[in-house]
């Protein structure tokens, strides 16, 4: 129970989580017996399957249904049942290595930046080889809500979940109900016949198992998946061949969607062609038809992938511009209160309202051209002057040292070095090891300091910024005392102080 938040919200049983936590010592033994009984008999209590759906207004006109976000509240006791089963199911899935390495969503020790690194690797490698590369960014329509229960049960059985555990999952998914609660008025209760329970603990993992075999629909396309965001990549020296292959493989993918009763969100599905600047100029006006499920996909120059704006030449111009707009608004807020709040409060505002924009997936876009990063670096300097109440022309190096905040370029270098350290010490998923190639001794006698990773050759500027090239180069430039740090915390502290010392 310690991992559950002290929320005052509750489902149809009217029992908030904080009450359960306060009384857990009194109810722990009978609750444990009930949960064990549920697992032994393969039955999930029907009273714990009723969801209270609360519409939360987002924006726009209040009389339009689509302007509300449905929040599903399940009985808090159901989450205790689910958490116990989740631990067992996840342990089994990990031990059997069931989930595809292409899936980065809802998995322990996985992150959005890993999916973006995978994408960057494929595109920059193709660009370096002077190939054409294509990315198809697929969006599924209400994928979590339309998941078919019979198909899910058959897939669980295929993955080795049989007998009483399978009966438990059948019971967990069946006879589910929900009602809408709005303005203290409840609707009638309706049955839920498909989808994983929204707001549940087991739902995301069950969805991953449901969509896991999508990678088997094509042996040619490279899949990068984050939960229901399915993205495909392929490269070729011949643009005509690339188009033909992609359309053939997308036909196979369309069959998989149909067999698994998942539908495409056409408005949010598009594709993009990548390549060198010369190639982009050549095929910018070329008519290329990519079809999925008989629908002609839109070709775009920029698309949003996991919160990062990706453009056709990986310049990150659109992404940095969007970040700059958001940071400028935050700085306007800080500017209005700088004479009212203390330094510690202003510093907290910086870390809350500005720093997340600089750090999110910085390992991907942080190596952009200096001219593209110029606006962001200028905004960061302005933020230093605001939170320290310094004059407009004050030199910023002492301010960075005083606040203990790294410059944007050093944040990028730090994220790269942390990635290398984690790979070196096996702290990341095996799929991440593809980005760094171990150094192979070429001579009989070793050097005094033997590199641990190879520095790959590259031709293009895009490839030069890839972590597989930038990482080993930065790592080799570090003092040995930092490289040999005993733990990740110590390494992070030392590397932080190393960059900070350059400002004084």
């Amino acid at each position: 129970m310690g991992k559950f938040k002290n929320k005052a919200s509750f489902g149809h049983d009217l029992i908030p989580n904080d009450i359960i936590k306060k009384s857990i010592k009194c109810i722990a033994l009978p609750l444990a017996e009930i949960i064990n009984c549920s697992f032994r008999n393969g039955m999930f209590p029907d009273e714990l399957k009723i969801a209270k759906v609360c519409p939360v207004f987002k924006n726009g006109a209040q009389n339009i249904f689509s302007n509300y976000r449905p929040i599903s509240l399940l009985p808090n006791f159901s989450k205790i049942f689910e958490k116990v089963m989740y631990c067992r199911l996840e342990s089994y899935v990990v031990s059997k290595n069931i989930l595809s390495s292409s899936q980065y969503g809802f998995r322990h020790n996985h992150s959005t930046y890993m999916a973006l690194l995978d994408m960057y690797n494929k595109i920059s490698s193709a660009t370096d080889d002077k190939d054409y590369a294509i990315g198809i960014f697929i969006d599924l329509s209400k994928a979590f809500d339309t998941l078919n229960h019979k198909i899910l049960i058959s897939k669980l059985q295929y993955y080795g979940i049989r007998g009483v555990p399978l009966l438990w999952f059948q019971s967990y998914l069946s006879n589910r109900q929900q009602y809408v609660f709005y303005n203290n008025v409840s609707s009638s209760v309706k049955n839920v016949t498909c989808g994983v329970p929204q707001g549940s603990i087991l739902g995301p993992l069950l969805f991953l198992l449901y969509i896991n075999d999508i990678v088997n629909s094509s042996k040619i396309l490279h899949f990068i998946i984050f939960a229901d965001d399915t993205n495909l990549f392929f490269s070729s020296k011949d643009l005509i061949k690339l188009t033909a292959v992609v359309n053939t493989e997308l036909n196979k993918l369309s069959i998989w969607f149909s067999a698994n009763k998942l539908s495409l969100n056409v408005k949010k599905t598009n594709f993009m062609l990548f390549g060198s600047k010369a190639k982009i100029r050549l095929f910018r006006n070329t008519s290329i038809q990519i079809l999925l499920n008989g629908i002609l996909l839109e070709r775009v120059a920029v698309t949003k992938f996991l919160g990062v704006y990706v453009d056709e030449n990986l310049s990150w111009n659109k992404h940095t511009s969007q970040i700059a707009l958001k940071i400028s608004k935050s700085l306007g807020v800080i500017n209005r209160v700088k004479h009212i709040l203390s330094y510690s409060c202003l510093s907290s505002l910086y870390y809350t309202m500005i720093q997340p924009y600089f750090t999110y997936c910085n390992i991907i876009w942080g190596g952009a051209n200096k001219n593209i990063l110029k606006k962001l670096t200028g905004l960061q300097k302005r933020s230093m002057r605001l939170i320290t109440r310094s004059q407009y022309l004050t030199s910023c190096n002492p301010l960075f040292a005083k606040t203990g905040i790294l410059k944007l370029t050093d944040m990028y270098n730090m994220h790269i070095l942390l990635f290398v350290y984690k790979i070196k010490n096996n702290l990341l998923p095996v799929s991440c090891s593809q980005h760094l190639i171990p150094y192979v001794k070429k001579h009989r006698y070793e050097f005094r300091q033997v590199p641990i990773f190879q520095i790959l050759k590259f031709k293009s500027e895009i490839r030069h910024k890839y972590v597989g090239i930038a990482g080993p180069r930065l790592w080799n430039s570090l003092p040995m005392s930092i490289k040999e740090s005993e733990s990740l915390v110590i390494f992070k502290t030392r590397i932080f102080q190393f960059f900070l010392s350059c400002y004084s």
Side-chain angles (χ1 to χ4, degrees):
M1 283 300 297
K3 294 182 179 179
F4 289 94
K5 295 180 180 179
N6 289 320
K7 291 184 177 180
S9 58
F10 47 80
H12 83 102
D13 59 353
L14 307 180
I15 305 174
N17 203 46
D18 54 355
I19 296 296
I20 297 176
K21 294 186 76 171
K22 289 175 182 177
S23 59
I24 192 63
K25 291 183 179 180
C26 300
I27 65 174
L29 288 177
L31 181 60
E33 181 56 34
I34 293 170
I35 293 173
N36 288 331
C37 182
S38 168
F39 291 168
R40 282 196 302 267
N41 293 283
M43 293 181 65
F44 188 82
D46 285 342
E47 278 296 309
L48 301 184
K49 301 177 187 177
I50 304 173
K52 181 174 78 171
V53 180
C54 301
V56 177
F57 179 68
K58 295 186 290 185
N59 50 45
Q62 294 189 8
N63 61 339
I64 298 177
F65 178 76
S66 58
N67 289 340
Y68 289 80
R69 178 183 291 109
I71 303 298
S72 179
L73 297 176
L74 294 167
N76 285 306
F77 278 109
S78 74
K79 296 186 178 182
I80 302 174
F81 280 72
E82 289 188 54
K83 185 64 178 179
V84 178
M85 179 56 79
Y86 177 88
C87 293
R88 298 183 183 190
L89 180 60
E90 185 195 35
S91 177
Y92 173 78
V93 167
V94 171
S95 66
K96 300 298 181 182
N97 196 26
I98 290 173
L99 292 179
S100 168
S101 60
S102 297
Q103 176 62 262
Y104 293 93
F106 299 127
R107 299 181 68 182
H108 176 67
N109 210 22
H110 286 68
S111 178
T112 51
Y113 84 84
M114 296 176 187
L116 286 159
L117 268 182
D118 195 355
M119 178 205 72
Y120 194 99
N121 180 27
K122 297 301 174 187
I123 296 171
S124 64
S125 177
T127 303
D128 218 47
D129 293 336
K130 297 183 178 179
D131 288 355
Y132 295 97
I134 189 170
I136 301 104
F137 301 88
I138 295 172
D139 190 271
L140 298 177
S141 181
K142 305 289 184 182
F144 282 78
D145 299 329
T146 58
L147 178 149
N148 185 277
H149 291 168
K150 289 184 179 179
I151 295 175
L152 174 59
I153 292 299
S154 66
K155 290 190 178 188
L156 291 177
Q157 189 173 19
Y158 173 79
Y159 291 128
I161 300 166
R162 303 185 181 99
V164 176
L166 188 65
L167 289 175
W168 190 91
F169 281 107
Q170 285 177 320
S171 175
Y172 171 78
L173 293 168
S174 63
N175 300 324
R176 285 200 163 266
Q177 297 178 311
Q178 66 180 22
Y179 66 94
V180 177
F181 182 81
Y182 185 69
N183 282 346
N184 293 320
V185 178
S186 299
S187 71
S188 58
V189 178
K190 297 292 184 181
N191 293 328
V192 180
T193 58
C194 61
V196 291
Q198 189 190 105
S200 65
I201 293 174
L202 277 170
L205 182 54
L206 291 176
F207 181 82
L208 295 189
L209 292 169
Y210 188 88
I211 203 174
N212 190 52
D213 61 333
I214 191 174
V215 296
N216 298 329
S217 63
S218 174
K219 295 182 179 179
I220 296 176
L221 301 181
H222 179 76
F223 286 79
I224 299 176
I225 312 168
F226 195 94
D228 59 335
D229 284 337
T230 306
N231 308 280
L232 315 168
F233 296 89
F234 180 70
S235 60
S236 174
K237 293 191 179 297
D238 188 336
L239 189 57
I240 297 174
K241 178 185 175 183
L242 179 143
T243 306
V245 169
V246 168
N247 279 322
T248 300
E249 296 304 305
L250 286 182
N251 281 333
K252 299 176 183 178
L253 184 64
S254 178
I255 294 170
W256 187 92
F257 283 144
S258 178
N260 288 272
K261 300 185 178 181
L262 294 174
S263 56
L264 187 70
N265 188 342
V266 183
K267 293 181 180 179
K268 293 185 179 180
T269 299
N270 49 54
F271 76 95
M272 191 185 304
L273 281 171
F274 301 92
S276 63
K277 291 182 179 179
K279 282 187 178 291
I280 289 173
R281 283 195 296 269
L282 284 172
F283 62 61
R284 180 163 288 151
N285 298 321
T286 305
S287 178
I288 298 170
Q289 293 190 335
I290 302 295
L291 293 97
L292 178 56
N293 200 21
I295 301 168
L296 190 65
L297 301 184
E298 180 189 5
R299 179 182 170 185
V300 295
V302 180
T303 194
K304 196 174 184 180
F305 178 35
L306 300 178
V308 175
Y309 287 91
V310 181
D311 56 79
E312 58 190 1
N313 53 12
L314 297 184
S315 68
W316 312 114
N317 188 32
K318 173 73 173 180
H319 183 69
T320 52
S321 296
Q322 289 296 313
I323 292 176
L325 284 173
K326 294 175 181 178
I327 291 175
S328 295
K329 292 178 182 178
S330 298
L331 286 177
V333 174
I334 295 175
N335 186 46
R336 287 193 291 272
V337 299
K338 67 178 180 180
H339 296 299
I340 303 171
L341 301 179
S342 64
Y343 166 73
S344 61
C345 290
L346 292 172
S347 181
S348 295
L349 284 177
Y350 171 85
Y351 281 107
T352 304
M353 302 174 68
I354 296 174
Q355 183 80 346
Y357 293 118
F358 285 135
T359 56
Y360 179 70
C361 290
N362 177 278
I363 193 173
I364 309 297
W365 57 266
N369 186 281
K370 288 183 179 180
N371 291 328
I372 290 174
L373 293 177
K374 189 175 181 181
K375 185 177 288 186
L376 289 182
T377 54
L379 287 171
Q380 192 184 30
K381 289 177 181 178
R382 184 186 169 199
S383 65
M384 292 299 102
R385 295 186 181 110
L386 283 176
I387 65 177
T388 57
R389 299 194 186 95
S390 301
Q391 297 298 318
Y392 177 70
L393 296 176
T394 303
S395 176
C396 283
N397 270 4
L399 302 183
F400 279 109
K402 177 184 176 181
T403 57
I405 294 172
L406 294 183
K407 295 180 180 179
L408 184 59
T409 51
D410 288 333
M411 286 183 195
Y412 167 71
N413 291 333
M414 183 172 180
H415 288 146
I416 291 277
L417 290 167
L418 285 171
F419 183 82
V420 176
Y421 182 89
K422 290 175 183 178
I423 291 291
K424 175 179 176 288
N425 292 278
N426 301 314
L427 299 176
L428 290 178
V430 177
S431 58
C432 288
S433 60
Q434 63 171 311
H435 300 294
L436 295 169
I437 300 175
Y439 179 82
V440 179
K441 189 175 70 171
K442 298 178 181 179
H443 305 283
R444 183 177 178 183
Y445 300 102
E446 293 185 354
F447 300 107
R448 181 173 295 178
Q449 295 185 12
V450 180
I452 58 171
F453 297 111
Q454 293 183 38
I455 300 179
L456 304 175
K457 294 181 179 179
F458 62 92
K459 302 171 187 174
S460 61
E461 185 65 21
I462 292 175
R463 191 64 175 169
H464 176 235
K465 301 297 183 180
Y466 169 54
V467 67
I469 295 169
R473 188 182 66 250
L474 284 170
W475 181 267
N476 292 341
S477 66
L478 286 178
M480 190 59 67
S481 58
I482 298 178
K483 293 181 186 178
E484 295 178 347
S485 297
E486 298 83 1
S487 69
L488 179 62
V489 174
I490 295 173
F491 177 79
K492 190 173 183 178
T493 302
R494 287 176 178 174
I495 199 69
F496 183 84
Q497 293 299 329
F498 175 77
F499 285 122
L500 211 60
S501 65
C502 300
Y503 305 153
S504 55

